[in-house]
Amino acid sequence: MNITRPRLRTTVPTALLAAAALLALSACSTSDDSNGGAPAGSSGKTVDVRIPDPGNSGVLALGKKDGSLDKALGKVGARVKWTGSAGPFAPAAQAMNADQLDIATGSITSGITSLSQRPGFQFFTAVDPDAKGEGILVRDGSGIESVADLVGKKVAVNQGGTGEYLLLKALAKEKIPADRVERVYLRPDQTAAVFNAGQVDAWAVWATYAVAEIGSGKAHFLADGEAIGSDNYSLNAVRTGFAEQHPAVVKALYDYLHTASVKEKKDPAAYLNVFTDVGPTAVTGKAKEVQTEITAESGTVDPIGPEDIARFESVAAFYAEQKVTEEKVDVAAHLLDVEKLT
């Protein structure tokens, strides 16, 4: 694989845009047949909520398997229409903008770069930054023992998202000019092989991909989110048009996610390997222990409060300062107060 360092830009990388094609598209957001819940309106139609398939772990995966999510949404005349698979936020944002998706999950960092385009979505929940599950990975025995040791090295990051933010934030904290470390822009789902082959010296990444590497016993965090001082919240986004048409459905979804996330934090193992405990989607061995520990220390899905907004704005200002975006993005203009929805 050729490793290149493209110019910084605010547009979404072509490779990520192409990933949007993986989302199976649904042309309608309502259906004539009911799932037994209360009708969403006078027409009695059931509202289809288009959400990327959650895979094998997490709150949505368990909600899909046991039917509890559809049961909760059925009370407001809605049901889930699983479409495609969960992945990077950038293509999901593009899909929401194109009215091909209603709900997606992403980080405030990738959210800001998506908001710098022409957003057709709003954020309605926040999960506190992952202090232990994100950071800068290095291989055991690499000789890299501090952030300062990254000078002159190659670090894999996803452009404009969590990885680039974590690296830039770590360098800024140590007062190291960003241009003294080479950023290698790669999609996170293509980086593990490059990292393990030694083609990059480090990898700034989050738990979705870090757990397997740490669990292998061959890599560790040089600096985690806590050490970096990360403000990288995880957020749920809703297509603006959907929120305007179906506020009660968005509120019901929030209620479900909040309650389920509290349960997940208390019993993380119950939300792993929901459909299968074997194969590439299963979390096993040491990786399972790592993921369980991370989830137990993570935050829960909550409404977005004033203190959260202040930290969002701080990230937006940092991105503008670092020239990741051309100007400071007004995050507050794209937030939804879920507690006021009825």
Side-chain angles (χ1 to χ4, degrees):
M1 176 180 297
N2 293 324
I3 302 177
T4 59
R5 183 186 179 193
R7 295 172 56 193
L8 291 179
R9 51 195 170 87
T10 59
T11 54
V12 180
T14 302
L16 290 183
L17 290 176
L22 297 176
L23 297 169
L25 308 182
S26 172
C28 303
S29 60
T30 59
S31 173
D32 288 330
D33 49 324
S34 173
N35 63 356
S42 57
S43 66
K45 292 183 178 180
T46 298
V47 177
D48 284 339
V49 188
R50 296 167 294 181
I51 304 176
D53 190 278
N56 194 31
S57 297
V59 163
L60 290 177
L62 188 58
K64 177 184 179 182
K65 182 178 181 180
D66 64 15
S68 60
L69 178 55
D70 268 338
K71 182 177 180 181
L73 294 181
K75 295 177 181 179
V76 290
R79 65 184 176 190
V80 177
K81 189 174 186 67
W82 301 109
T83 173
S85 59
F89 183 71
Q94 292 290 319
M96 285 189 289
N97 292 345
D99 189 15
Q100 298 165 349
L101 193 66
D102 299 312
I103 302 292
T105 301
S107 64
I108 184 59
T109 48
S110 58
I112 286 171
T113 51
S114 293
L115 287 175
S116 69
Q117 314 301 310
R118 296 181 179 178
F121 61 89
Q122 297 171 290
F123 293 112
F124 68 101
T125 73
V127 178
D128 287 344
D130 190 356
K132 301 299 181 183
E134 64 179 14
I136 301 174
L137 277 176
V138 294
R139 294 180 299 278
D140 292 355
S142 67
I144 300 174
E145 299 179 356
S146 69
V147 173
D149 291 337
L150 294 175
V151 171
K153 300 292 196 299
K154 296 179 179 180
V155 182
V157 301
N158 60 311
Q159 188 173 21
T162 294
E164 185 160 30
Y165 169 77
L166 291 171
L167 175 61
L168 291 174
K169 188 77 172 177
L171 295 175
K173 185 176 182 180
E174 298 299 323
K175 297 181 172 53
I176 299 171
D179 61 5
R180 297 191 65 191
V181 176
E182 182 177 349
R183 279 168 272 174
V184 179
Y185 294 107
L186 294 169
R187 278 175 39 179
D189 59 350
Q190 297 178 338
T191 307
V194 176
F195 174 70
N196 288 306
Q199 292 177 274
V200 293
D201 303 290
W203 180 11
V205 69
W206 61 101
T208 301
Y209 303 96
V211 166
E213 301 304 320
I214 296 172
S216 72
K218 298 179 181 179
H220 63 277
F221 278 138
L222 173 69
D224 60 17
E226 181 176 23
I228 291 170
S230 172
D231 283 323
N232 188 37
Y233 282 75
S234 175
L235 309 174
N236 279 296
V238 58
R239 182 171 59 81
T240 302
F242 186 91
E244 292 172 346
Q245 295 169 19
H246 309 293
V249 177
V250 179
K251 179 61 163 60
L253 178 60
Y254 160 72
D255 289 339
Y256 180 87
L257 292 172
H258 171 74
T259 300
S261 70
V262 172
K263 293 178 180 178
E264 182 185 31
K265 183 177 175 69
K266 293 179 179 178
D267 185 16
Y271 292 80
L272 291 176
N273 302 330
V274 172
F275 291 98
T276 178
D277 57 5
V278 297
T281 64
V283 184
T284 59
K286 180 63 176 178
K288 186 175 182 179
E289 294 178 24
V290 172
Q291 182 63 73
T292 299
E293 292 172 2
I294 289 172
T295 303
E297 295 185 35
S298 65
T300 55
V301 176
D302 296 310
I304 298 170
E307 68 286 355
D308 304 318
I309 297 174
R311 293 174 75 179
F312 297 169
E313 296 294 347
S314 176
V315 176
F318 180 74
Y319 259 24
E321 175 188 321
Q322 295 290 326
K323 309 300 182 185
V324 177
T325 56
E326 294 180 356
E327 57 186 10
K328 182 177 179 293
V329 174
D330 183 5
V331 181
H334 304 281
L335 303 179
L336 187 63
D337 188 344
V338 72
E339 294 183 300
K340 292 183 179 179
L341 298 179
T342 57

